Amino acid sequence: MDADPVEIRVLGCLIEKQRTTPDAYPLSLNSLRLACNQATNRDPVVDYDEPTIRHALDGLSRRGWARLASGPGSRAAKFRHLFAEAVGVDGGEISVLAVLMLRGPQTPGELKGRTERLHRFSSLDEVDEALGRLSERGLVVRLPRRPGQKEERYAQLLGGEPGEEPAPSRAFTVAEEDDRLAEVEAALQELRDEVAVLRAELGSFRASG
């Protein structure tokens, strides 16, 4: 479907805010800018200005995925998405897509937790079923597992096939190793302290005997 990253972020925000803050929906341009640039629940974190968002809205409007929702007498232009109607997805499916748009590739377990405010899945099986339906329609794809990964991850396909994800940097790997070493050293010190206490107690017992 080759939507660009800004269009995907804007669409994800419209879907999210419709479901989490319905009283404030449709969104003004400024509210949409704030939603796009949130530092939480977003990956990557961005800093879009209003012209950038307006351009994305124009693109979404041409696709039939969003439209102006305020009348001529409104003080501020407001916008709503038409994605559910245009693509034909249910509440669970659109919630999964929104999280994938806003946070990048996710495991089914992550999706279950992070869609909680948008749609409550009763089980992980329900998430898997939603992902299966979206996969069949070419809206999401299951990513190949990286070495050491236990769970499969899924990505949305509104922007086309996802590119290859960068491998973890060596600096990050070294940092992880340092953290594990520190944990081992701390655990070892705790064992030493416990042994010292036991020896002291044993010495006291022998002396009293």
Side-chain angles (χ1 to χ4, degrees):
M1 297 183 179
D2 66 5
D4 69 35
V6 186
E7 291 173 347
I8 292 170
R9 174 60 61 91
V10 168
L11 178 59
C13 289
L14 287 170
I15 296 169
E16 178 194 61
K17 298 306 181 185
Q18 178 198 28
R19 304 184 77 80
T20 60
T21 56
D23 292 343
Y25 182 85
L27 299 183
S28 68
L29 194 60
N30 184 58
S31 295
L32 192 49
R33 179 184 65 81
L34 294 173
C36 287
N37 297 341
Q38 277 183 211
T40 57
N41 302 325
R42 303 288 186 265
D43 187 14
V45 175
V46 298
D47 186 19
Y48 297 150
D49 58 17
E50 289 192 2
T52 299
I53 293 171
R54 188 178 291 280
H55 180 75
L57 285 165
D58 289 342
L60 292 172
S61 178
R62 287 193 296 271
R63 297 175 189 277
W65 292 357
R67 69 172 175 84
L68 183 68
S70 53
S74 299
R75 296 178 59 186
K78 293 190 174 183
F79 302 87
R80 67 184 308 138
H81 77 85
L82 304 171
F83 190 73
E85 299 89 336
V87 181
V89 287
D90 64 25
E93 293 163 357
I94 198 171
S95 298
V96 166
L97 282 170
V99 171
L100 293 175
M101 290 180 212
L102 296 174
R103 303 188 70 154
Q106 307 280 308
T107 67
E110 288 170 334
L111 286 166
K112 184 177 184 304
R114 292 168 179 173
T115 55
E116 190 73 15
R117 294 175 61 229
L118 287 74
H119 177 87
R120 183 164 294 180
F121 288 100
S122 63
S123 67
L124 199 56
D125 287 342
E126 281 194 2
V127 179
D128 287 330
E129 290 167 5
L131 287 166
R133 294 191 298 270
L134 292 169
S135 296
E136 289 173 1
R137 300 185 56 196
L139 294 172
V140 304
V141 63
R142 184 172 59 192
L143 300 177
R145 287 184 186 175
R146 285 180 178 169
Q149 280 186 337
K150 295 181 180 179
E151 291 190 80
E152 295 171 332
R153 299 162 76 233
Y154 289 80
Q156 53 81 21
L157 290 175
L158 301 184
E161 289 291 331
E164 185 175 346
E165 295 181 88
S169 67
R170 178 61 187 163
F172 181 74
T173 303
V174 169
E176 283 187 326
E177 290 174 353
D178 288 345
D179 288 342
R180 284 195 292 268
L181 181 59
E183 289 175 4
V184 171
E185 288 176 344
L188 183 58
Q189 186 59 50
E190 286 181 10
L191 288 173
R192 286 173 178 156
D193 293 342
E194 289 176 7
V195 169
V197 170
L198 288 172
R199 281 178 176 169
E201 291 177 351
L202 183 59
S204 299
F205 176 76
R206 285 175 177 170
S208 63

